[in-house]
Amino acid sequence: MPDLIDELPVKEKNYLFYISQQLNDIKEIQGLCQRVLKRAKKLENSGQPTKICLVEAMNDALKEELSRKT
């Protein structure tokens, strides 16, 4: 049985590729958010205010992400 994607016109193939890239980006963002929340929870358990915990956790996650990308 031939692959259904191979039978699609180029425009539709490109659109499917674009959607799959967007879904991958969403999954990456979800993972980043989960790491931020996990880190914020740990900081919050140490007695710091919630807003400070979230900011510190986001900062840590962004630094980690940048170090991974470079």
Side-chain angles (χ1 to χ4, degrees):
M1 185 170 147
D3 191 8
L4 293 176
I5 292 176
D6 290 338
E7 296 178 12
L8 290 172
V10 172
K11 184 178 180 182
E12 280 77 8
K13 282 183 195 178
N14 288 342
Y15 186 65
L16 285 176
F17 178 74
Y18 172 77
I19 290 172
S20 72
Q21 289 300 110
Q22 295 299 310
L23 288 173
N24 286 337
D25 290 348
I26 289 169
K27 287 178 186 175
E28 195 173 316
I29 291 168
Q30 278 181 317
L32 182 62
C33 289
Q34 287 173 345
R35 288 193 304 275
V36 166
L37 289 175
K38 187 176 179 180
R39 172 83 172 124
K41 226 11 163 192
K42 283 182 184 177
L43 290 170
E44 192 175 43
N45 288 338
S46 70
Q48 293 187 41
T50 303
K51 287 181 183 179
I52 292 173
C53 294
L54 284 170
V55 170
E56 285 186 23
M58 284 188 276
N59 191 31
D60 292 347
L62 289 173
K63 285 179 187 175
E64 181 183 306
E65 198 66 26
L66 285 173
S67 69
R68 251 196 268 169
K69 303 259 179 186
T70 55

